[in-house]
Amino acid sequence: MIFNRTHLEHAGYSILFQLGVALVWLPFTTWMVGLWIGGFAAFFFFLGREHAQVQRSRSLGVFQAFDVRLWGWDARLDLAVSPVACLLVILLSTLL
């Protein structure tokens, strides 16, 4: 279980995705709500991505691939850094 470059890339892409969605939602709601919506959108994007990779590589059914026990540690960490990075952005946003 080693933290590698792709985990940092996923965190960066999640933050960019989060900020982009928050900017799109800005005319309709507050900045904080937009950050939450963007954070959830980024998380579910990477959940779908990791799910598709496991499903394809192991020839699993749609629902079988949601079993995280079948995922490798790299896939689990790829998914885990997304909400952590987005929550840090939300936390920093509340402090500023």
Side-chain angles (χ1 to χ4, degrees), residues 47-87:
L47 175 64
R49 182 180 182 277
E50 296 302 326
H51 171 270
Q53 287 182 345
V54 169
Q55 183 182 9
R56 183 181 55 224
S57 68
R58 295 193 179 208
S59 300
L60 298 173
V62 174
F63 295 108
Q64 291 172 326
F66 279 111
D67 187 358
V68 180
R69 295 173 298 179
L70 300 176
W71 296 15
W73 281 106
D74 188 53
R76 291 177 190 179
L77 283 175
D78 279 342
L79 181 63
V81 296
S82 175
V84 170
C86 291
L87 285 172

Side-chain angles (χ1 to χ4, degrees), residues 3-54:
F3 199 78
N4 61 30
R5 185 178 62 107
T6 62
H7 303 126
L8 294 176
E9 289 174 356
H10 281 225
Y13 292 141
S14 294
I15 291 170
L16 289 174
F17 197 88
Q18 178 185 28
L19 295 175
V21 170
L23 284 174
V24 169
W25 277 89
L26 194 56
F28 308 106
T29 186
T30 65
W31 176 249
M32 189 59 63
V33 172
L35 286 177
W36 278 102
I37 293 170
F40 280 113
F43 171 74
F44 284 111
F45 171 79
F46 281 109
L47 175 64
R49 182 180 182 277
E50 296 302 326
H51 171 270
Q53 287 182 345
V54 169

